[in-house]
């Protein structure tokens, strides 16, 4: 790497990327209580996370993972796998990409979406545990709402576009194609864009 090029990540990210913790080495023999897989290998990013749970206390006692992802995805999931061990399922369920980025000392804005893989895989693993243990009432399904009827774009699509770097309505259109037909969704889309930027980036 050129010495003239500045490392844009924190030393903590660098450490977790070079020395990732809790990687799932032997999937066949690891006895897990919950398993979550998100992403699509065909798109270049996929994350699997497995957890062991103290069933009396509902506390995560171990967490392993493996991924096909970038440096940010590896570092953020490595850190996530450390901090959830010893944590209650309820608390771990609500960890956000923003929480992970703060623990890492910050992520470049265009890399925040990489940390989403880890927290979604964890939530999926906890859901799997809840399903297997008769606790379906604990599962919180995120219901999406269509904002652009013409292009079938939802509020979740807009949030993902923001996490991937969209900051203006034009950039939102480039990511999602919303508002490119009748344009009636523009006001609501701009409001959601602003809300999601504030939610994830405090702006």
């Amino acid at each position: 790497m050129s010495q003239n090029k500045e490392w844009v990540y924190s030393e903590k990210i660098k450490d977790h990327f070079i020395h990732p913790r809790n990687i799932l080495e032997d999937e066949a023999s690891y006895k897990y209580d919950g398993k979550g897989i998100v992403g699509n290998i065909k798109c270049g990013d996929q994350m699997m996370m497995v957890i062991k749970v103290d069933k009396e206390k509902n506390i995560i006692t171990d967490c392993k993972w493996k991924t096909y992802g970038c440096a940010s995805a590896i570092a953020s999931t490595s850190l996530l796998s450390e901090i959830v061990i010893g944590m209650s399922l309820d608390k771990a369920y609500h960890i956000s990409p923003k929480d992970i980025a703060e623990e890492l000392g910050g992520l470049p804005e265009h890399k925040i979406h990489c940390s989403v893989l880890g927290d979604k895989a964890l939530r999926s693993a906890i859901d799997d545990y809840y399903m297997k243990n008769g606790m379906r009432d604990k599962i919180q399904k995120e219901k999406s709402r269509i904002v652009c009827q013409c292009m079938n774009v939802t509020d979740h699509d807009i949030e993902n576009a923001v996490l991937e770097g969209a900051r203006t309505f034009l950039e939102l259109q480039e990511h999602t194609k919303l508002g490119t037909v009748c344009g009636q969704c523009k006001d609501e889309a701009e409001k959601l864009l602003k809300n999601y930027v504030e939610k994830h980036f405090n702006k």
Side-chain angles (χ1 to χ4, degrees), residues 107-124:
L107 277 171
E109 283 195 6
H110 65 287
K111 289 293 184 182
I112 289 288
H113 71 281
C114 301
S115 66
V116 173
L117 276 178
D119 89 278
K120 283 188 173 180
L122 173 64
R123 201 167 299 121
S124 177

Side-chain angles (χ1 to χ4, degrees), residues 79-97:
L79 177 122
L80 177 63
S81 71
E82 282 195 325
I83 63 176
V84 299
I85 294 174
M87 186 178 285
S88 70
L89 291 172
D90 283 344
K91 187 173 181 180
Y93 202 80
H94 294 96
I95 290 177
S96 70

Side-chain angles (χ1 to χ4, degrees), residues 156-178:
H156 287 178
D157 295 324
I158 293 173
E159 184 170 17
N160 287 332
V162 168
L163 289 168
E164 290 172 359
R167 295 292 180 274
T168 66
F169 183 69
L170 180 60
E171 290 171 346
L172 197 56
Q173 286 184 305
E174 290 173 349
H175 276 74
T176 66
K177 307 303 179 192
L178 98 170

Side-chain angles (χ1 to χ4, degrees), residues 6-75:
E6 205 172 315
W7 175 258
V8 297
Y9 301 104
S10 70
E11 286 302 312
K12 198 168 186 178
I13 295 174
K14 185 177 178 181
D15 179 42
H16 276 275
F17 170 58
I18 295 174
H19 307 291
R21 282 70 146 176
N22 300 316
I23 290 179
L24 181 61
E25 302 282 0
D26 186 356
E27 184 180 347
S29 65
Y30 187 82
K31 303 298 181 187
Y32 55 83
D33 296 310
K35 176 181 179 180
I37 299 177
V38 296
N40 189 327
I41 193 65
K42 292 181 180 177
C43 299
D45 288 313
Q46 187 178 65
M47 179 74 67
M48 180 175 76
M49 187 167 279
V50 290
I51 56 173
K52 289 185 178 181
V53 177
D54 180 327
K55 295 185 179 181
E56 290 188 1
K57 298 179 179 177
N58 282 330
I59 287 174
I60 296 173
T61 58
D62 197 18
C63 178
K64 303 284 187 189
W65 59 277
K66 67 177 181 180
T67 187
Y68 297 97
C70 66
S72 296
I74 292 170

